[in-house]
């Protein structure tokens, strides 16, 4: 059910309303976000028993696939903001029509990616440095799994539609069902049908197509209920692409930052790159928790602005920042407490542990900063302020790159690299805070 904007009578009542909305949207969103990487984990666990070469091939192919799909995450972000605005304006027909434009764009982009990946799969695998023994398995997995990319992108866009409609529970249910189906299909096809790594790829494709089908059924039902057209609209698809383009620049800049950090860690030595990968996996998990609040921010802010409630949007922004800071403090404390327990799960090498231990403390101290960054990122996305987000991330990349490259040149270690990562987040926080304070992101109405 879509929750309409109401103006509470008192500040205390307003905070309670914001808290209820944030929890109702963020908790299911967190569950859905965590379910996504479980696909790769399940595949790895099943394929790992086939042999080292097969697991190595899966690792290379999965990295390529996840990179390709993550680049198009703007399909979810831009669609959430656009749909939420229409919901706030009380026009559910236009909201779903807007969502359909995003889904059609996802289908077109997915078909394009498939057309590129299928013939170039061997070259892409070689580019990522797969060994001679792993390369054939990586190519097989990549070519088959690429067939599921259109479904993956449809899932992104349709998830954005439902988030814009203030529904994060359905994506959670679909993600859980998809994970279970993926695991069952992988076991059956890899071992039962004796298809090896190809069976794992087909299992993932089938599961992704099933998830996309469920989303399409939900969206189509909503379209029919509210009289929204299902046909592709060139102008609408073009508008969705234009709204997503700045977010694509933002995402590519962020991916570049992470790649530079990994490249620098590799230059520090084997122990440091091993420790970096462990820390990066934890950092990503912490990001899921904070991103759940950001997703709530996208949906809530878009709805307030669509309802011409600028003051409600400001109040919601303030409350979500408080949530971000509190969540960051809690997560930081958990990292400090869990450090001695966390590291042995990934390595028994004392050198790797020694490299990771102080760097984890830096990660812990940075979590309140990360909390503010994720929340304000979500707020500005919900406001449709993509061009500013793109500019801010490019600036952040420009600041981070020379600092990170100086780490090995000046004899710094992994702790220094993660201090540079914290500086990167601080720059992001400054740029986002200045924008939020300016109020220029507050543009009300059904469209920005």
């Amino acid at each position: 059910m879509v929750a309409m904007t109401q103006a509470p009578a008192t500040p205390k009542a307003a905070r309670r309303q914001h808290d209820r909305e944030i929890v109702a949207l963020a908790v299911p969103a967190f569950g859905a976000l965590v379910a996504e990487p479980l696909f790769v984990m399940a595949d790895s666990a099943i394929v790992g028993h086939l042999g080292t070469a097969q697991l190595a091939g899966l690792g290379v192919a999965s990295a390529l696939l996840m990179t390709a799909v993550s680049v198009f995450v703007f399909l979810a972000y831009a669609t959430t903001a656009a749909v939420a605005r229409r919901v706030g304006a009380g026009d559910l027909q236009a909201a779903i029509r807007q969502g359909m434009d995003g889904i059609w764009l996802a289908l077109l982009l997915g078909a394009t990616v498939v057309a590129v990946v299928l013939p170039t799969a061997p070259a892409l695998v070689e580019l990522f440095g797969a060994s001679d023994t792993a390369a054939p398995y990586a190519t097989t997995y990549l070519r088959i799994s690429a067939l599921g990319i259109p479904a993956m992108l449809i899932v992104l866009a349709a998830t954005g539609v439902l988030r814009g409609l203030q529904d994060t529970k359905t994506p959670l249910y679909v993600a859980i069902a998809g994970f279970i189906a993926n695991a069952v299909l992988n076991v059956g096809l890899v071992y039962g049908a004796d298809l090896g790594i190809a069976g794992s790829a087909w299992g993932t494709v089938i599961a992704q197509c099933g998830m996309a089908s469920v989303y399409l059924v939900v969206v189509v039902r909503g379209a029919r209920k509210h009289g929204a057209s299902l046909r592709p609209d060139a102008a609408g698809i073009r508008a969705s692409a234009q709204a997503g383009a700045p977010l694509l620049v933002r995402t590519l800049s962020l991916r570049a930052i992470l790649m530079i950090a990994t490249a620098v860690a590799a230059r520090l030595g084997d122990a440091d790159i091993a420790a970096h990968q462990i820390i990066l996996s934890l950092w990503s998990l912490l990001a899921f928790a904070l991103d759940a609040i950001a997703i709530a921010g996208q949906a809530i802010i878009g709805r307030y602005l669509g309802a011409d409630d600028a003051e409600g949007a400001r109040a919601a922004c303030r409350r979500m920042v408080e949530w971000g800071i509190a969540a960051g403090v809690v997560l930081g404390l958990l990292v400090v407490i869990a450090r001695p327990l966390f590291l042995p799960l990934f390595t028994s090498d004392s050198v790797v542990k020694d490299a990771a231990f102080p760097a984890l403390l830096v990660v812990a101290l940075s979590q309140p900063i990360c909390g503010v960054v994720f929340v304000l990122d979500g707020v500005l996305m919900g406001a449709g302020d993509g061009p500013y987000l793109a500019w801010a991330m490019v600036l952040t990349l420009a600041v981070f790159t020379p600092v990170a490259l100086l780490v090995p040149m000046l004899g710094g270690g992994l702790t220094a690299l993660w201090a540079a990562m914290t500086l990167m987040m601080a720059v992001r926080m400054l740029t986002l805070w200045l924008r939020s304070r300016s109020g220029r992101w507050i543009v009300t109405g059904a469209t920005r």
Side-chain angles (χ1 to χ4, degrees), residues 96-415:
I96 296 176
R97 174 64 261 179
Q98 192 94 43
M100 285 304 305
D101 292 335
I103 291 173
W104 280 111
L105 176 62
L107 186 59
L108 292 173
L109 291 173
T112 302
V113 174
V114 172
V116 171
V117 170
L118 288 180
T120 61
L124 291 171
V125 167
E126 183 180 356
L127 182 65
F128 263 59
S131 66
D132 292 339
T133 54
Y137 297 111
T139 301
T140 296
Y141 190 92
L142 181 59
R143 277 182 166 157
I144 296 173
S145 295
L147 300 176
I149 288 178
M152 295 181 192
L153 299 190
I154 288 173
V155 166
L156 283 177
T159 299
V161 176
L162 295 181
R163 288 173 180 170
L165 293 171
Q166 318 295 294
D167 176 11
T168 56
K169 290 183 179 179
T170 299
L172 172 61
Y173 300 148
V174 174
I176 293 173
F179 168 72
I180 295 172
N182 179 66
V184 172
L185 286 166
N186 267 257
V187 171
L189 294 174
V190 171
Y191 298 111
D194 199 25
L195 295 179
I197 195 169
S200 177
W202 281 117
T204 300
V205 169
I206 294 169
Q208 291 287 355
C209 289
M211 293 171 66
S213 298
V214 172
Y215 275 119
L216 289 176
V217 168
V218 172
V219 174
V220 168
R221 283 180 178 173
R224 289 176 175 171
K225 179 179 178 181
H226 297 286
S229 173
L230 298 173
R231 294 180 179 179
D233 176 65
I237 294 172
R238 186 165 55 253
S240 294
Q242 290 171 346
L247 296 180
L248 175 61
V249 173
R250 168 201 169 274
T251 301
L252 289 173
S253 299
L254 179 57
R255 296 292 301 182
I257 287 171
L258 297 178
M259 290 175 65
I260 290 169
T262 300
V264 170
R267 293 178 62 184
L268 298 176
D270 290 346
D272 285 302
I273 185 61
H276 176 74
Q277 289 303 114
I278 293 172
I279 296 171
L280 191 61
S281 66
L282 175 63
W283 194 75
S284 299
L285 179 62
L286 298 173
F288 283 137
L290 298 174
D291 202 27
I293 304 175
I295 287 170
Q298 293 171 32
I300 293 170
I301 293 298
R303 195 189 74 233
Y304 273 108
L305 294 178
D308 293 321
D309 188 353
E311 185 51 44
R314 288 191 185 92
C317 175
R318 286 194 296 270
R319 189 56 177 164
M320 280 182 283
V321 169
E322 292 170 359
W323 269 78
I325 294 172
V329 170
V330 171
L331 291 175
L333 290 173
L334 288 175
V335 171
V336 172
I337 295 170
R339 277 189 309 166
L341 304 175
F342 174 75
L343 288 174
L345 294 176
F346 289 87
T347 182
S348 58
D349 190 327
S350 60
V351 178
V352 174
K353 290 180 182 178
D354 289 342
F357 206 76
L360 278 174
L361 182 60
V362 175
V363 171
L365 293 173
S366 70
Q367 288 310 296
I369 297 174
C370 294
V372 176
V373 168
F374 275 82
V375 166
L376 290 180
D377 208 37
V379 166
L380 297 185
M381 283 184 189
D385 204 13
Y388 182 84
L389 290 172
W391 173 86
M393 189 60 77
V394 170
L395 174 64
T396 302
L397 173 61
V399 172
F400 171 77
T401 300
V403 174
L405 295 178
L406 281 172
V407 169
M409 294 174 61
L410 298 178
L414 191 64
T415 302

Side-chain angles (χ1 to χ4, degrees), residues 38-56:
L38 293 179
F39 271 81
V40 177
M41 291 178 63
D43 288 2
S44 299
I46 294 166
V47 171
H49 292 285
L50 294 174
T52 301
Q54 288 90 332
L55 183 58

